[in-house]
Amino acid sequence: MSLSEIQSRIAKAESAAGRPSGATKLIAVSKRQADDVVETVLKESHRLFGENQVQEAAGKWPTFRETYPDAKVHLLGPLQTNKARQAIGLFDAIHSLDRPKLAKTLARLAQEEGSCPDLFIQVNTGEEEQKSGVLLADVDDFATECRALDLPVVGLMCIPPAHEEPSLHFALLAKLASRNGLAGLSMGMSGDYERAVALGATHVRVGSAIFGARDY
Ligand SMILES: *Cc1c(COP(=O)(O)O)cnc(C)c1O
């Protein structure tokens, strides 16, 4: 599917839900895609991208940004504390804030660096053992802790369990965000981004539907 087709589907879903046009930002997830495929989308004037790994992003985005200095890149995958400083320098937002140790490290480094990317708290809405993210019972306390650390938390993020109806998880995430006074909702991927838009997503993360299958 082309980038413009996905954008028009998002616009339709916004309108059907009575949301303002442009309320949802499309993050083009460029992880494990060939550079020329990513560049095609840059040439179409798209400027918001998502990556899963610090290392991979560090290998390609500094070069892309020489040509496209206004490109924004968000980290979607897990962040180790020993890569947090590098991540602060590389990303415009981090969607995987998921534990107190990382929050404390980011707060300290943000002080030292004088800046911090926008942060989304990742919530493990399906309470899956293998998945990262804050457990439901801990979300409110963790959001409060992050606020006390002066971290720029802008919203919540989730990756619903593979075999459950994602809309239930999107609605739950929206409720948790609202309860914590957070406006941002990072939810929805290639298979379910329209349902996420219907439930208030401010950021959808779409990879394979734009770029095609990845090399795994
Ligand atoms: C890879 C990835 C996506 C994009 O997945 P697609 O199914 O290719 O759209 C979205 N969010 C996260 C966290 C990812 O790791």
Side-chain angles (χ1 to χ4, degrees):
M1 215 180 297
S2 69
L3 179 72
S4 64
E5 187 170 347
I6 288 167
Q7 276 161 336
S8 85
R9 285 180 180 222
I10 290 172
K12 249 188 223 158
E14 284 173 339
S15 150
R19 302 183 62 205
S21 143
T24 312
K25 294 199 170 73
L26 171 59
I27 301 176
V29 183
S30 49
K31 68 182 184 201
R32 295 198 298 279
Q33 298 287 351
D35 286 355
D36 59 329
V37 180
V38 179
E39 185 135 29
T40 306
V41 170
L42 280 160
K43 283 189 177 139
E44 290 179 79
S45 297
H46 193 77
R47 287 294 178 267
L48 179 56
F49 292 84
E51 290 286 342
N52 231 31
Q53 289 184 354
V54 177
Q55 229 44 51
E56 188 186 339
K60 61 187 179 196
W61 282 101
T63 312
F64 279 140
R65 278 175 168 148
E66 287 172 16
T67 315
Y68 306 96
D70 54 344
K72 306 270 187 239
V73 187
H74 290 193
L75 178 66
L76 310 177
L79 177 58
Q80 295 168 262
T81 47
N82 64 2
K83 299 216 172 109
R85 190 187 297 277
Q86 195 183 4
I88 287 178
L90 201 51
F91 297 106
D92 299 286
I94 294 171
H95 293 233
S96 50
L97 176 55
D98 62 354
R99 57 197 192 278
K101 187 180 174 207
L102 180 58
K104 289 186 192 113
T105 302
L106 285 170
R108 176 172 53 81
L109 295 174
Q111 280 277 325
E112 290 176 23
E113 303 285 324
S115 73
C116 188
D118 286 344
L119 301 172
F120 291 79
I121 294 173
Q122 182 173 352
V123 182
N124 188 352
T125 56
E127 313 246 278
E128 294 173 284
E129 244 165 62
Q130 80 285 7
K131 218 168 250 178
S132 42
V134 179
L135 294 175
L136 293 173
D138 299 332
V139 171
D140 297 353
D141 284 348
F142 187 57
T144 304
E145 183 176 352
C146 291
R147 213 169 275 134
L149 288 166
D150 260 334
L151 287 171
V153 174
V154 299
L156 302 181
M157 176 271 221
C158 76
I159 307 171
H163 303 293
E164 288 181 27
E165 169 51 48
S167 292
L168 301 174
H169 295 268
F170 298 156
L172 175 58
L173 197 72
K175 191 175 108 186
L176 292 169
S178 152
R179 187 161 94 195
N180 283 282
L182 295 168
L185 284 171
S186 167
M187 57 191 200
M189 306 179 18
S190 288
D192 54 24
Y193 63 93
E194 288 156 295
R195 278 173 281 176
V197 172
L199 289 163
T202 59
H203 295 74
V204 290
R205 314 177 306 262
V206 181
S208 43
I210 298 176
F211 295 107
R214 289 176 288 271
D215 286 335
Y216 277 92

